[in-house]
Amino acid sequence: MREQRSIVQNIDWPLLVIYIVLVTMGWLNIYAAVYDPENISLFDLDMQYGKQAMFIGICALVGTVILFTDGKLFPTFSFWIYAFMMLLLVATIFLGKNVHGSRSWLNIGGGFSLQPAELAKFATCLALARFLSEINVKMAKLQTRLICAAIIGFPVLIILLQNETGLAIVYFSFVFVMYREGLPGGYLLLGFAVLVLFILTLLVEKTILFSVIGAIAILVFMFLGKRRFSRLLRIAVVAAIAIGFTLSVDYIFTKVLQPHQSIRITALLGKIDPSQMKEAKKGVLYNVNQSKIAIGSGGLVGKGWTKGTQTKYDFVPEQDTDFIFCTVGEEWGFLGSTTVLLLFMTLILRIIYIAERQKAPFTRIYAYGVASILMFHLMVNVGMTLGLMPVIGIPLPFFSYGGSSLLGFTILLFILIRLDSYRMQIL
Amino acid sequence: MKQLSSRQYVIAGMVVAICLTYIGRLFYIQIVDDKYKIMAVNNAIRRIVDYPPRGVIYDRTGKLLVANQAAYDLMVIPNQVKDCDTTELCRLINIDKQGFKDRFAKLKKQNHPWYQPAVFEGQLSGRAYAALQEKLYDFQGFYVQARTIRNYPKSVGAHLLGYVGEVSEKIVKDSSYYLMGDYIGLSGIEKSYEVPLRGIRGVRHVEKDVFNRERAAFADGRFDTLGIAGVDLTSSIDLDLQEYGEKLMKNKIGSIVAIEPATGEILALVSSPTYDPNLLVGHERSKNYVVLLRDTMKPLFNRALMASYPPGSTFKIANALVGQEIGVVTPDTRYSCNRGFSAGGVHVGCHAHASPVDLKFSITTSCNAYYCNVFRSIVEHYKPSEAGYRTWRDYIMSFGFGAKLPSDLPNELRGNVPSAEYYNKMYGKGRWKALSVISLGIGQGEMGVTPLQMANYTATLANRGWYILPHAIKKVGDKPIGVYNPKFGEKHYTKVQKKYFDVVVDAMANVMTNGTGRIAQIDSIQLGGKTGTAQNPHGKDHSIFICFGPVANPKIAIAVYVENAGFGATWAAPIASLMIEKYLKGKTKRPEMEKRMMEGVVLPVYEKKTSATPVDE
């Protein structure tokens, strides 16, 4: 009894409240997105909102169970959970059903299916926390970094094999966890530099780009630091790598990325190839354009719940899942969508705050994992609906329709709440 | 470790930065930029225009002049056209593939917004529509808009009634009512009574889904308006008389305008050559229009309102009236005429008749010399003669000459009574006198009068001194025209007193019994008339006749112009006479004359003129 009361007392209520608010708003928006004025029933299990209501119920159950488990179990069984999930991921490649070319769905009967990739996030997060929280593990060591990379890289590899690029990319957000645990900031800068160079390559003429890279190299050599030969050599190598990278962008673009993926990126940059224009207009450009129309037409206060014409009449594809934010924008307007963004921001900042108040490194690292994943999802998903990010099919946490995603995020968050409520018992 | 914990701010900062960026972006697309709101409306809300039927037009006896029939416009919303079976669509509306492409190219050229509907093929027949409708779901981006278009049961009165067409870009730009695709009256009654005829279009806003299916009324119909049907008009035209007049004018160039003197109501308005008004309706409209436009006989040209001819000898009556009013002529004033008028080196010829002549006989026999003298006396009655001329001009213009009357028909010509300034410019101030412009005395020279003005002049003579502005509409809905537009109830008096009219009306009656208009005499009705011949620098003279009757209580006043037909008595007088008989008696009793007029062909013959002066019979 004492144990139970302390759990209720120690639960971080702001987290729980924000979670409940977001899930409720999500459900309302799914309802509006698939709303059909001619056929109204609130809990129809044939409709997405009916199913989502059921998923919410399941998640409430799972969440409660997590809150009442022994907090010590999570660090203890982290690797086992990770191993089990990885096995499930691998198995999915062989057992999963083929949905539009992706093999990430496991049929679990009753007309429902499960996407293990969504659940693998919390498992990876647990494993990473478990590994990094060990006393003798130091981020300064190359070995540590490589093991981290392996823990993260394995699910990425399998999910890529499942043909779910979007979900795989999410795992790169763990780099922020590593950064917090001591990975030199240079890695983030390097990543950033690579991204900028990548975009510039697509936007700027190669000759101009090479000249600029050369000019920067010469300027750095002339005006910064001593003019030694070894330094010249190092700068020259960096410049050469940069140029080599820009040259390889074309290769990545045509050979590594699939055509629909490269179109999404060029479309975002407004540099679409005329030969791909027709396809783009029907596909990615259409989605993004309709999404912007839906959001933009919301105005200050929105059109009102279930009153959104773009939403109601299916102008935006994937309106209930990846593009759910359009519904928010159209029906709740600037005030509503800003509220949602601020709720997410509060949630993530609260998680970071929670992370920093932990005595146990395991909980801290896990919390950063949760924060990073949420941040990445928010950035890509909302950015995509606003036309600021390429179209990458990942859900908006707690909002988008889908049992696996909701369950995945619920477990992710509730483990944190449980771990946090347990912090007082760690001396 | 302390150093590492500060990294939380880097991560937290990124979260805040992302959220703020997105909020900024939301602010821009939701509040600053209106583009998306408009696009959303275009996406999901279809504006369905309900075009009310245009008012129909009846003749004065209640017969239908202009009726309506159903037609269907095939509309297109260009940006919604997807995977269209072009061949099939082209087949259904009977165009070729190039025509299909051209239509889009035209819209592009007009900068037509791609998300707004445009007429793709206008005024399809009911049959074409039936075939199209079954397949319409196959053609995304196309839909059919029901319209009513005009139908003319009797195929007459083309110039008078005018035609209806699609609004031009300019009209749309200049007006707050019209929108692309609307119809508007472009000429005739359709133009001048556009507002009552068209009614007010209604608009429904319907939400549609991504598959272009209509789903529900937008905002519960808050922005919808009901269409208001156009008002029916009753024209003053007598359909039978109009039809008869057009038959008489067949194969001739010219015009007939008949007016009821007491009311100013136009009974018939014929401009020849004419065309079947049904040609400018429906699917073939634009093709037919081009054909009519290129016709060298100019069938689209409304001669009754837009052709200006010299009034010829009919003008002598006006001069007789002005002369009396000013006091230079009395019924007893006599002038001798020895084959014409000669003074100061000017000679105006005349035909052989008894001499000297008094006022009455001068009209009966249409003496040129008499009116040269009258005109000279009027002008020289004042000093300098320019002042005399100005006075004369004022009097003449009070008969409705030299300015738009205006009637209720559009595009009336002003005609011309030359101003003193004009002659000052031509001759130099003080360097011209009555003799310089003496041909005005007999209605030649620079004088220009439209057939409508001529008919109004005839009505003025019939009324002995006043006219009501001619108008072709008697009632707008239930409202008499005098209530709808009071200017069509007002009497306009000439500057000549009523007492001076009696003698000229008497003379006009004499014209019919023993003067130049004998051929047009009708046994049972006393008429007053005057022949005229208008000089035509391009060919044979125009034949003119004005006439009214019965003299005691005039019911009809008529002016007839037949181009290149020579003397007034040969063509214009018989036609006028037959028209009056038809109108007053309901039928004509002179089959040979009727046959001769209807079958006669008077088309322009460009002969070399030998005499500079007209010679009336």
PDB file of all heavy atoms in Angstrom, chain A residues 36 179 183 290 295 310 313 315 329 334 368 375 379 383 386, chain B residues 7-8 15 22 25 29-30 40 43 207-210 215:
ATOM      1  N   ASP A  36     -17.642  12.167 -41.661  1.00  0.00           N
ATOM      2  CA  ASP A  36     -18.480  12.148 -42.844  1.00  0.00           C
ATOM      3  C   ASP A  36     -19.841  12.678 -42.421  1.00  0.00           C
ATOM      4  O   ASP A  36     -20.533  12.072 -41.620  1.00  0.00           O
ATOM      5  CB  ASP A  36     -18.612  10.710 -43.352  1.00  0.00           C
ATOM      6  CG  ASP A  36     -19.474  10.636 -44.599  1.00  0.00           C
ATOM      7  OD1 ASP A  36     -20.113  11.656 -44.924  1.00  0.00           O
ATOM      8  OD2 ASP A  36     -19.513   9.575 -45.214  1.00  0.00           O
ATOM      9  N   TYR A 179      25.350  13.115 -27.465  1.00  0.00           N
ATOM     10  CA  TYR A 179      25.926  14.443 -27.284  1.00  0.00           C
ATOM     11  C   TYR A 179      25.825  14.861 -25.826  1.00  0.00           C
ATOM     12  O   TYR A 179      26.777  15.321 -25.206  1.00  0.00           O
ATOM     13  CB  TYR A 179      25.193  15.434 -28.195  1.00  0.00           C
ATOM     14  CG  TYR A 179      25.480  16.886 -27.890  1.00  0.00           C
ATOM     15  CD1 TYR A 179      26.730  17.436 -28.183  1.00  0.00           C
ATOM     16  CD2 TYR A 179      24.507  17.708 -27.324  1.00  0.00           C
ATOM     17  CE1 TYR A 179      26.994  18.766 -27.907  1.00  0.00           C
ATOM     18  CE2 TYR A 179      24.759  19.033 -27.048  1.00  0.00           C
ATOM     19  CZ  TYR A 179      26.012  19.563 -27.340  1.00  0.00           C
ATOM     20  OH  TYR A 179      26.271  20.874 -27.067  1.00  0.00           O
ATOM     21  N   LEU A 183      29.558  13.093 -26.202  1.00  0.00           N
ATOM     22  CA  LEU A 183      30.056  13.073 -27.581  1.00  0.00           C
ATOM     23  C   LEU A 183      30.451  14.495 -27.957  1.00  0.00           C
ATOM     24  O   LEU A 183      29.683  15.430 -27.737  1.00  0.00           O
ATOM     25  CB  LEU A 183      28.945  12.576 -28.526  1.00  0.00           C
ATOM     26  CG  LEU A 183      29.357  12.303 -29.968  1.00  0.00           C
ATOM     27  CD1 LEU A 183      30.201  11.024 -30.030  1.00  0.00           C
ATOM     28  CD2 LEU A 183      28.139  12.175 -30.849  1.00  0.00           C
ATOM     29  N   GLN A 290      -1.659  20.787 -50.795  1.00  0.00           N
ATOM     30  CA  GLN A 290      -2.969  20.642 -50.148  1.00  0.00           C
ATOM     31  C   GLN A 290      -2.848  20.828 -48.641  1.00  0.00           C
ATOM     32  O   GLN A 290      -3.731  21.380 -47.999  1.00  0.00           O
ATOM     33  CB  GLN A 290      -3.576  19.269 -50.460  1.00  0.00           C
ATOM     34  CG  GLN A 290      -3.994  19.098 -51.896  1.00  0.00           C
ATOM     35  CD  GLN A 290      -5.079  20.077 -52.318  1.00  0.00           C
ATOM     36  OE1 GLN A 290      -5.861  20.554 -51.510  1.00  0.00           O
ATOM     37  NE2 GLN A 290      -5.111  20.400 -53.602  1.00  0.00           N
ATOM     38  N   ILE A 295      -3.989  24.086 -43.867  1.00  0.00           N
ATOM     39  CA  ILE A 295      -3.537  24.819 -42.683  1.00  0.00           C
ATOM     40  C   ILE A 295      -3.768  26.311 -42.868  1.00  0.00           C
ATOM     41  O   ILE A 295      -4.319  26.982 -42.010  1.00  0.00           O
ATOM     42  CB  ILE A 295      -2.041  24.536 -42.408  1.00  0.00           C
ATOM     43  CG1 ILE A 295      -1.859  23.058 -42.054  1.00  0.00           C
ATOM     44  CG2 ILE A 295      -1.522  25.429 -41.288  1.00  0.00           C
ATOM     45  CD1 ILE A 295      -0.426  22.633 -41.915  1.00  0.00           C
ATOM     46  N   GLN A 310     -11.393  21.193 -46.256  1.00  0.00           N
ATOM     47  CA  GLN A 310     -10.270  20.485 -46.882  1.00  0.00           C
ATOM     48  C   GLN A 310     -10.094  19.120 -46.218  1.00  0.00           C
ATOM     49  O   GLN A 310      -9.762  18.129 -46.856  1.00  0.00           O
ATOM     50  CB  GLN A 310      -8.976  21.289 -46.730  1.00  0.00           C
ATOM     51  CG  GLN A 310      -9.084  22.724 -47.118  1.00  0.00           C
ATOM     52  CD  GLN A 310      -9.558  22.893 -48.542  1.00  0.00           C
ATOM     53  OE1 GLN A 310      -8.916  22.445 -49.474  1.00  0.00           O
ATOM     54  NE2 GLN A 310     -10.707  23.507 -48.716  1.00  0.00           N
ATOM     55  N   TYR A 313     -13.385  16.649 -46.749  1.00  0.00           N
ATOM     56  CA  TYR A 313     -13.579  16.105 -48.085  1.00  0.00           C
ATOM     57  C   TYR A 313     -12.294  15.551 -48.689  1.00  0.00           C
ATOM     58  O   TYR A 313     -12.122  15.536 -49.902  1.00  0.00           O
ATOM     59  CB  TYR A 313     -14.241  17.158 -48.984  1.00  0.00           C
ATOM     60  CG  TYR A 313     -15.586  17.592 -48.462  1.00  0.00           C
ATOM     61  CD1 TYR A 313     -15.938  18.923 -48.391  1.00  0.00           C
ATOM     62  CD2 TYR A 313     -16.493  16.635 -47.996  1.00  0.00           C
ATOM     63  CE1 TYR A 313     -17.168  19.303 -47.885  1.00  0.00           C
ATOM     64  CE2 TYR A 313     -17.725  17.002 -47.491  1.00  0.00           C
ATOM     65  CZ  TYR A 313     -18.054  18.335 -47.425  1.00  0.00           C
ATOM     66  OH  TYR A 313     -19.264  18.706 -46.932  1.00  0.00           O
ATOM     67  N   PHE A 315      -9.154  16.301 -49.150  1.00  0.00           N
ATOM     68  CA  PHE A 315      -8.230  16.925 -50.094  1.00  0.00           C
ATOM     69  C   PHE A 315      -6.777  16.606 -49.749  1.00  0.00           C
ATOM     70  O   PHE A 315      -5.933  16.552 -50.620  1.00  0.00           O
ATOM     71  CB  PHE A 315      -8.434  18.444 -50.143  1.00  0.00           C
ATOM     72  CG  PHE A 315      -9.652  18.825 -50.899  1.00  0.00           C
ATOM     73  CD1 PHE A 315     -10.843  19.057 -50.250  1.00  0.00           C
ATOM     74  CD2 PHE A 315      -9.625  18.883 -52.279  1.00  0.00           C
ATOM     75  CE1 PHE A 315     -11.981  19.375 -50.957  1.00  0.00           C
ATOM     76  CE2 PHE A 315     -10.758  19.199 -53.001  1.00  0.00           C
ATOM     77  CZ  PHE A 315     -11.941  19.444 -52.335  1.00  0.00           C
ATOM     78  N   GLY A 329      -4.578  22.559 -37.978  1.00  0.00           N
ATOM     79  CA  GLY A 329      -4.403  23.895 -38.545  1.00  0.00           C
ATOM     80  C   GLY A 329      -5.680  24.438 -39.148  1.00  0.00           C
ATOM     81  O   GLY A 329      -6.009  25.604 -38.978  1.00  0.00           O
ATOM     82  N   PHE A 334      -4.730  29.268 -36.135  1.00  0.00           N
ATOM     83  CA  PHE A 334      -3.400  29.607 -35.617  1.00  0.00           C
ATOM     84  C   PHE A 334      -3.359  29.389 -34.109  1.00  0.00           C
ATOM     85  O   PHE A 334      -2.386  28.854 -33.578  1.00  0.00           O
ATOM     86  CB  PHE A 334      -3.093  31.079 -35.948  1.00  0.00           C
ATOM     87  CG  PHE A 334      -1.799  31.572 -35.392  1.00  0.00           C
ATOM     88  CD1 PHE A 334      -0.591  31.117 -35.915  1.00  0.00           C
ATOM     89  CD2 PHE A 334      -1.771  32.470 -34.346  1.00  0.00           C
ATOM     90  CE1 PHE A 334       0.613  31.567 -35.404  1.00  0.00           C
ATOM     91  CE2 PHE A 334      -0.580  32.923 -33.827  1.00  0.00           C
ATOM     92  CZ  PHE A 334       0.623  32.468 -34.358  1.00  0.00           C
ATOM     93  N   TYR A 368      16.552  11.554 -22.031  1.00  0.00           N
ATOM     94  CA  TYR A 368      17.044  12.270 -23.221  1.00  0.00           C
ATOM     95  C   TYR A 368      16.662  11.541 -24.494  1.00  0.00           C
ATOM     96  O   TYR A 368      16.372  12.151 -25.534  1.00  0.00           O
ATOM     97  CB  TYR A 368      18.554  12.509 -23.135  1.00  0.00           C
ATOM     98  CG  TYR A 368      18.857  13.857 -22.498  1.00  0.00           C
ATOM     99  CD1 TYR A 368      19.290  13.956 -21.194  1.00  0.00           C
ATOM    100  CD2 TYR A 368      18.670  15.027 -23.232  1.00  0.00           C
ATOM    101  CE1 TYR A 368      19.538  15.189 -20.608  1.00  0.00           C
ATOM    102  CE2 TYR A 368      18.913  16.267 -22.654  1.00  0.00           C
ATOM    103  CZ  TYR A 368      19.347  16.348 -21.346  1.00  0.00           C
ATOM    104  OH  TYR A 368      19.571  17.564 -20.791  1.00  0.00           O
ATOM    105  N   MET A 375      11.291  15.164 -30.169  1.00  0.00           N
ATOM    106  CA  MET A 375      11.715  16.358 -30.882  1.00  0.00           C
ATOM    107  C   MET A 375      11.838  16.073 -32.383  1.00  0.00           C
ATOM    108  O   MET A 375      11.365  16.852 -33.214  1.00  0.00           O
ATOM    109  CB  MET A 375      13.056  16.857 -30.338  1.00  0.00           C
ATOM    110  CG  MET A 375      13.602  18.064 -31.073  1.00  0.00           C
ATOM    111  SD  MET A 375      15.049  18.741 -30.253  1.00  0.00           S
ATOM    112  CE  MET A 375      16.316  17.709 -30.922  1.00  0.00           C
ATOM    113  N   MET A 379       9.626  17.785 -35.257  1.00  0.00           N
ATOM    114  CA  MET A 379      10.296  18.614 -36.256  1.00  0.00           C
ATOM    115  C   MET A 379       9.947  18.143 -37.672  1.00  0.00           C
ATOM    116  O   MET A 379       9.562  18.946 -38.529  1.00  0.00           O
ATOM    117  CB  MET A 379      11.805  18.564 -36.035  1.00  0.00           C
ATOM    118  CG  MET A 379      12.594  19.319 -37.088  1.00  0.00           C
ATOM    119  SD  MET A 379      14.360  19.300 -36.734  1.00  0.00           S
ATOM    120  CE  MET A 379      14.810  17.680 -37.337  1.00  0.00           C
ATOM    121  N   GLY A 383       6.998  20.011 -39.701  1.00  0.00           N
ATOM    122  CA  GLY A 383       7.742  20.686 -40.761  1.00  0.00           C
ATOM    123  C   GLY A 383       7.275  20.256 -42.138  1.00  0.00           C
ATOM    124  O   GLY A 383       7.151  21.068 -43.052  1.00  0.00           O
ATOM    125  N   LEU A 386       4.034  21.833 -43.082  1.00  0.00           N
ATOM    126  CA  LEU A 386       4.186  23.264 -43.356  1.00  0.00           C
ATOM    127  C   LEU A 386       5.047  23.526 -44.575  1.00  0.00           C
ATOM    128  O   LEU A 386       5.300  24.667 -44.924  1.00  0.00           O
ATOM    129  CB  LEU A 386       4.811  23.965 -42.138  1.00  0.00           C
ATOM    130  CG  LEU A 386       3.950  24.021 -40.883  1.00  0.00           C
ATOM    131  CD1 LEU A 386       4.741  24.571 -39.726  1.00  0.00           C
ATOM    132  CD2 LEU A 386       2.718  24.861 -41.127  1.00  0.00           C
TER     133      LEU A 386
ATOM    134  N   ARG B   7      24.900  21.071 -21.471  1.00  0.00           N
ATOM    135  CA  ARG B   7      24.457  20.761 -22.844  1.00  0.00           C
ATOM    136  C   ARG B   7      22.945  20.636 -22.940  1.00  0.00           C
ATOM    137  O   ARG B   7      22.385  20.623 -24.047  1.00  0.00           O
ATOM    138  CB  ARG B   7      25.121  19.466 -23.323  1.00  0.00           C
ATOM    139  CG  ARG B   7      26.601  19.659 -23.611  1.00  0.00           C
ATOM    140  CD  ARG B   7      27.203  18.445 -24.257  1.00  0.00           C
ATOM    141  NE  ARG B   7      28.539  18.755 -24.744  1.00  0.00           N
ATOM    142  CZ  ARG B   7      29.306  17.889 -25.385  1.00  0.00           C
ATOM    143  NH1 ARG B   7      28.871  16.649 -25.582  1.00  0.00           N
ATOM    144  NH2 ARG B   7      30.489  18.235 -25.802  1.00  0.00           N
ATOM    145  N   GLN B   8      22.282  20.488 -21.765  1.00  0.00           N
ATOM    146  CA  GLN B   8      20.814  20.448 -21.820  1.00  0.00           C
ATOM    147  C   GLN B   8      20.258  21.706 -22.468  1.00  0.00           C
ATOM    148  O   GLN B   8      19.231  21.659 -23.145  1.00  0.00           O
ATOM    149  CB  GLN B   8      20.247  20.314 -20.399  1.00  0.00           C
ATOM    150  CG  GLN B   8      20.549  21.528 -19.529  1.00  0.00           C
ATOM    151  CD  GLN B   8      19.873  21.452 -18.171  1.00  0.00           C
ATOM    152  OE1 GLN B   8      18.666  21.444 -18.086  1.00  0.00           O
ATOM    153  NE2 GLN B   8      20.684  21.325 -17.127  1.00  0.00           N
ATOM    154  N   VAL B  15      14.868  22.696 -29.308  1.00  0.00           N
ATOM    155  CA  VAL B  15      13.419  22.441 -29.254  1.00  0.00           C
ATOM    156  C   VAL B  15      12.654  23.757 -29.375  1.00  0.00           C
ATOM    157  O   VAL B  15      11.724  23.877 -30.179  1.00  0.00           O
ATOM    158  CB  VAL B  15      13.049  21.731 -27.924  1.00  0.00           C
ATOM    159  CG1 VAL B  15      11.537  21.596 -27.813  1.00  0.00           C
ATOM    160  CG2 VAL B  15      13.724  20.380 -27.852  1.00  0.00           C
ATOM    161  N   TYR B  22       8.288  27.153 -36.370  1.00  0.00           N
ATOM    162  CA  TYR B  22       7.033  26.637 -36.900  1.00  0.00           C
ATOM    163  C   TYR B  22       5.872  27.574 -36.580  1.00  0.00           C
ATOM    164  O   TYR B  22       4.967  27.753 -37.398  1.00  0.00           O
ATOM    165  CB  TYR B  22       6.771  25.230 -36.356  1.00  0.00           C
ATOM    166  CG  TYR B  22       7.677  24.182 -36.978  1.00  0.00           C
ATOM    167  CD1 TYR B  22       7.591  22.848 -36.636  1.00  0.00           C
ATOM    168  CD2 TYR B  22       8.614  24.538 -37.953  1.00  0.00           C
ATOM    169  CE1 TYR B  22       8.410  21.889 -37.207  1.00  0.00           C
ATOM    170  CE2 TYR B  22       9.450  23.601 -38.533  1.00  0.00           C
ATOM    171  CZ  TYR B  22       9.349  22.270 -38.162  1.00  0.00           C
ATOM    172  OH  TYR B  22      10.163  21.341 -38.747  1.00  0.00           O
ATOM    173  N   ARG B  25       6.048  30.282 -39.008  1.00  0.00           N
ATOM    174  CA  ARG B  25       5.554  29.815 -40.305  1.00  0.00           C
ATOM    175  C   ARG B  25       4.018  29.730 -40.302  1.00  0.00           C
ATOM    176  O   ARG B  25       3.358  30.132 -41.255  1.00  0.00           O
ATOM    177  CB  ARG B  25       6.169  28.443 -40.586  1.00  0.00           C
ATOM    178  CG  ARG B  25       5.635  27.749 -41.804  1.00  0.00           C
ATOM    179  CD  ARG B  25       6.202  28.328 -43.079  1.00  0.00           C
ATOM    180  NE  ARG B  25       5.916  27.460 -44.212  1.00  0.00           N
ATOM    181  CZ  ARG B  25       6.194  27.784 -45.469  1.00  0.00           C
ATOM    182  NH1 ARG B  25       6.780  28.924 -45.721  1.00  0.00           N
ATOM    183  NH2 ARG B  25       5.903  26.967 -46.445  1.00  0.00           N
ATOM    184  N   ILE B  29       1.430  31.609 -42.905  1.00  0.00           N
ATOM    185  CA  ILE B  29       0.473  31.018 -43.854  1.00  0.00           C
ATOM    186  C   ILE B  29      -0.973  31.100 -43.364  1.00  0.00           C
ATOM    187  O   ILE B  29      -1.891  31.066 -44.152  1.00  0.00           O
ATOM    188  CB  ILE B  29       0.828  29.570 -44.292  1.00  0.00           C
ATOM    189  CG1 ILE B  29       0.693  28.581 -43.154  1.00  0.00           C
ATOM    190  CG2 ILE B  29       2.193  29.482 -44.922  1.00  0.00           C
ATOM    191  CD1 ILE B  29       0.852  27.149 -43.638  1.00  0.00           C
ATOM    192  N   GLN B  30      -1.172  31.230 -42.059  1.00  0.00           N
ATOM    193  CA  GLN B  30      -2.565  31.270 -41.590  1.00  0.00           C
ATOM    194  C   GLN B  30      -3.105  32.687 -41.459  1.00  0.00           C
ATOM    195  O   GLN B  30      -4.298  32.896 -41.585  1.00  0.00           O
ATOM    196  CB  GLN B  30      -2.686  30.562 -40.229  1.00  0.00           C
ATOM    197  CG  GLN B  30      -2.440  29.073 -40.332  1.00  0.00           C
ATOM    198  CD  GLN B  30      -2.776  28.348 -39.052  1.00  0.00           C
ATOM    199  OE1 GLN B  30      -2.272  28.701 -37.993  1.00  0.00           O
ATOM    200  NE2 GLN B  30      -3.622  27.347 -39.145  1.00  0.00           N
ATOM    201  N   ALA B  40      -8.316  27.336 -50.744  1.00  0.00           N
ATOM    202  CA  ALA B  40      -9.168  26.367 -50.059  1.00  0.00           C
ATOM    203  C   ALA B  40     -10.602  26.495 -50.545  1.00  0.00           C
ATOM    204  O   ALA B  40     -11.284  25.505 -50.777  1.00  0.00           O
ATOM    205  CB  ALA B  40      -9.103  26.586 -48.549  1.00  0.00           C
ATOM    206  N   ASN B  43     -10.827  25.011 -53.828  1.00  0.00           N
ATOM    207  CA  ASN B  43     -10.736  23.569 -53.670  1.00  0.00           C
ATOM    208  C   ASN B  43     -12.074  22.958 -53.374  1.00  0.00           C
ATOM    209  O   ASN B  43     -12.509  22.032 -54.027  1.00  0.00           O
ATOM    210  CB  ASN B  43      -9.855  23.274 -52.444  1.00  0.00           C
ATOM    211  CG  ASN B  43      -8.579  22.586 -52.820  1.00  0.00           C
ATOM    212  OD1 ASN B  43      -8.433  22.144 -53.952  1.00  0.00           O
ATOM    213  ND2 ASN B  43      -7.668  22.491 -51.910  1.00  0.00           N
ATOM    214  N   GLU B 207     -20.337  22.626 -50.984  1.00  0.00           N
ATOM    215  CA  GLU B 207     -19.054  22.018 -50.666  1.00  0.00           C
ATOM    216  C   GLU B 207     -18.881  20.788 -51.536  1.00  0.00           C
ATOM    217  O   GLU B 207     -19.817  20.042 -51.772  1.00  0.00           O
ATOM    218  CB  GLU B 207     -19.031  21.616 -49.190  1.00  0.00           C
ATOM    219  CG  GLU B 207     -19.068  22.817 -48.265  1.00  0.00           C
ATOM    220  CD  GLU B 207     -19.062  22.423 -46.805  1.00  0.00           C
ATOM    221  OE1 GLU B 207     -19.118  21.213 -46.511  1.00  0.00           O
ATOM    222  OE2 GLU B 207     -19.002  23.329 -45.960  1.00  0.00           O
ATOM    223  N   LYS B 208     -17.664  20.618 -52.011  1.00  0.00           N
ATOM    224  CA  LYS B 208     -17.417  19.417 -52.791  1.00  0.00           C
ATOM    225  C   LYS B 208     -16.191  18.723 -52.258  1.00  0.00           C
ATOM    226  O   LYS B 208     -15.347  19.355 -51.617  1.00  0.00           O
ATOM    227  CB  LYS B 208     -17.246  19.765 -54.265  1.00  0.00           C
ATOM    228  CG  LYS B 208     -16.091  20.717 -54.518  1.00  0.00           C
ATOM    229  CD  LYS B 208     -16.100  21.176 -55.955  1.00  0.00           C
ATOM    230  CE  LYS B 208     -15.133  22.302 -56.214  1.00  0.00           C
ATOM    231  NZ  LYS B 208     -13.746  21.949 -56.402  1.00  0.00           N
ATOM    232  N   ASP B 209     -16.102  17.437 -52.522  1.00  0.00           N
ATOM    233  CA  ASP B 209     -14.960  16.694 -51.991  1.00  0.00           C
ATOM    234  C   ASP B 209     -13.888  16.539 -53.056  1.00  0.00           C
ATOM    235  O   ASP B 209     -13.993  17.079 -54.151  1.00  0.00           O
ATOM    236  CB  ASP B 209     -15.399  15.349 -51.405  1.00  0.00           C
ATOM    237  CG  ASP B 209     -15.945  14.420 -52.479  1.00  0.00           C
ATOM    238  OD1 ASP B 209     -15.724  14.703 -53.672  1.00  0.00           O
ATOM    239  OD2 ASP B 209     -16.588  13.433 -52.118  1.00  0.00           O
ATOM    240  N   VAL B 210     -12.870  15.798 -52.693  1.00  0.00           N
ATOM    241  CA  VAL B 210     -11.715  15.687 -53.587  1.00  0.00           C
ATOM    242  C   VAL B 210     -12.092  15.006 -54.899  1.00  0.00           C
ATOM    243  O   VAL B 210     -11.454  15.187 -55.913  1.00  0.00           O
ATOM    244  CB  VAL B 210     -10.560  14.953 -52.868  1.00  0.00           C
ATOM    245  CG1 VAL B 210     -10.892  13.493 -52.675  1.00  0.00           C
ATOM    246  CG2 VAL B 210      -9.251  15.123 -53.614  1.00  0.00           C
ATOM    247  N   ARG B 215     -21.276  17.777 -51.777  1.00  0.00           N
ATOM    248  CA  ARG B 215     -21.560  17.143 -50.495  1.00  0.00           C
ATOM    249  C   ARG B 215     -22.631  17.857 -49.686  1.00  0.00           C
ATOM    250  O   ARG B 215     -23.596  17.265 -49.274  1.00  0.00           O
ATOM    251  CB  ARG B 215     -20.265  17.040 -49.675  1.00  0.00           C
ATOM    252  CG  ARG B 215     -19.213  16.153 -50.340  1.00  0.00           C
ATOM    253  CD  ARG B 215     -19.680  14.727 -50.489  1.00  0.00           C
ATOM    254  NE  ARG B 215     -19.714  14.045 -49.225  1.00  0.00           N
ATOM    255  CZ  ARG B 215     -18.734  13.276 -48.756  1.00  0.00           C
ATOM    256  NH1 ARG B 215     -17.661  13.073 -49.489  1.00  0.00           N
ATOM    257  NH2 ARG B 215     -18.831  12.696 -47.589  1.00  0.00           N
TER     258      ARG B 215
END
